[in-house]
Structure formats: C-alpha cells, structure tokens
Amino acid sequence: VYTITRLPMEPPVTGKPVSMTRQSRAVLRGFDGTDTTTVDVIKLQRDSQGRVRSEVDREETRGMRVVSVIISDPIKQEYIVLDSTRRLAQVVHPPTASPVTQSTDADAQRVQDRQTLPPKVILGIPADGIRTSRPTELPARDGKTIDVQLTVDSWRSRELGVELESEWTYADRMGEISSKTTKIDQSEPDASLFMVPGGYTVLRGNN
C-alpha cells in the first residue's frame, strides 16, 4: 500500500471544490552518477466535503508507465487505492494520530531556514511563496543513505488551500524536482470520482 495511506489523514478542506492538473518532472542522480528522469501528470479533484482523488500518470526513463489512483475520504476516515489493471480497490484506514503527532511533523522539525518569496499569480489565482531548507536522506551504495541539503520553493493558494507550484533542489547536483499547475477548475467534481468503480473487488485491511 502507498506510503500516504500509512500517515494520519489531514484535516479536510471543505466548501472549496477544485479540479486541477499538475505536471511534475524529477531528475535524480544515482550513486553511480546516472540520472533518472520521471515525468508525472497529476490530476487532483476535491469536492465540497473535502474528499480528494489523486491520479498520477508516471513515465520513467526506462520507458515504464505507471498509473496510480488514491482516494482520501475524511468522512469515512479511509483511503481507497485503485488498481485498474486487476480491478481491485484496497480500502485502508489511516492510523489514529495523537495531538502531538498531528501538530508536529518530522520534516518540519528539521527545517533550518525559512524565507518568504515574492507572491505569484498562477492561472489567475494569487499564491504565496515560501522557501525552506532542511537536511534529507537519499539512497546510497549498499542500501545506505547520505545526508543532502534540500531547498524547497513553494507557492500555495490560501484561497483554495492547495499548492500550485514548487521547485525542489538537492545540494551537490543530486537532483531537482519541479511541479507546476497547468489547469484548474473550481466547479464541483462528479461524486462518482470518489467511489469505488463498478466491477471492482474491494479488499479491506488496516495498515
């Protein structure tokens, strides 16, 4: 099951429906000096109840293509992972977080520097910019990891409660990830997008 389903569910953003498409390109350098490029097209829909559907269409350097769909339902407190190839829907309940866990985040605690960036208007929507820097880990030889400084520039819409653009830069030329919203619609998405499609076998299991 995807990593996100092992995390406590975030508080829902209600009354602000949105459908958006983002394109993300990642170039990461392996320990052997070879660059690996992945291109993601991410379609995200959120309804007025705060339910979120995230569909990721990924193309990798090796020519592989992977499509993944995760539905987050804060009303039922469950994630739904759809496998269109096998027509399976795995329903997973997120762990219950303590107040301390909900109010703190491991990455946030490691932030060493935080700066305000000039705001942008992205597809007609104002977005506030912020830059954060923190150490992170990347895979190394023999299953080990190395510490690398990561700088993230992010522009987020306060009106919609979503990130519209971001730039991740790893120090020492270890890689970069850019993500930008290319399309946005604030109408109510179809309710069927947040349900298990007909003909799917439903598997239930907690993390």
Side-chain angles (χ1 to χ4, degrees):
V1 180
Y2 296 94
T3 302
I4 189 174
T5 65
R6 301 188 178 98
L7 301 176
M9 192 167 287
E10 295 182 358
V13 177
T14 59
K16 298 180 179 180
V18 66
S19 298
M20 54 192 293
T21 301
R22 296 183 66 176
Q23 186 164 25
S24 175
R25 185 176 186 271
V27 180
L28 298 177
R29 177 159 296 175
F31 55 80
D32 60 353
T34 303
D35 288 348
T36 299
T37 301
T38 58
V39 177
D40 294 345
V41 176
I42 305 163
K43 294 181 179 179
L44 183 145
Q45 287 99 10
R46 184 182 66 210
D47 67 3
S48 294
Q49 300 178 63
R51 297 180 297 183
V52 176
R53 175 190 172 102
S54 178
E55 178 178 329
V56 180
D57 188 335
R58 168 168 293 182
E59 293 185 8
E60 300 182 352
T61 302
R62 298 184 298 274
M64 297 178 60
R65 184 180 179 191
V66 179
V67 179
S68 60
V69 178
I70 300 178
I71 299 169
S72 171
D73 190 335
I75 303 170
K76 297 181 179 179
Q77 279 293 297
E78 64 184 23
Y79 295 107
I80 303 172
V81 181
L82 300 180
D83 183 338
S84 60
T85 303
R86 296 183 293 171
R87 299 186 70 79
L88 295 177
Q90 184 161 2
V91 179
V92 180
H93 293 280
T96 302
S98 66
V100 173
T101 304
Q102 291 177 338
S103 61
T104 61
D105 176 84
D107 286 342
Q109 292 178 1
R110 300 181 73 186
V111 169
Q112 297 175 333
D113 185 44
R114 187 185 300 269
Q115 305 174 36
T116 300
L117 297 175
K120 289 185 177 183
V121 176
I122 301 170
L123 298 178
I125 299 173
D128 298 325
I130 190 169
R131 171 176 291 170
T132 57
S133 298
R134 60 178 172 83
T136 189
E137 294 181 343
L138 290 178
R141 295 181 183 275
D142 304 322
K144 298 179 181 180
T145 59
I146 57 173
D147 288 331
V148 177
Q149 194 72 11
L150 170 63
T151 300
V152 179
D153 293 352
S154 172
W155 283 268
R156 186 177 181 86
S157 166
R158 281 186 287 178
E159 175 189 353
L160 297 177
V162 293
E163 183 183 74
L164 299 179
E165 186 175 318
S166 65
E167 295 280 349
W168 294 40
T169 305
Y170 294 89
D172 302 323
R173 301 173 62 86
M174 294 299 293
E176 59 185 15
I177 305 173
S178 61
S179 179
K180 188 171 184 177
T181 301
T182 58
K183 183 179 180 181
I184 195 161
D185 180 359
Q186 297 184 54
S187 60
E188 187 76 28
D190 194 305
S192 64
L193 292 170
F194 308 96
M195 302 176 185
V196 176
Y200 274 58
T201 300
V202 178
L203 306 175
R204 295 184 178 274
N206 293 335
N207 288 335

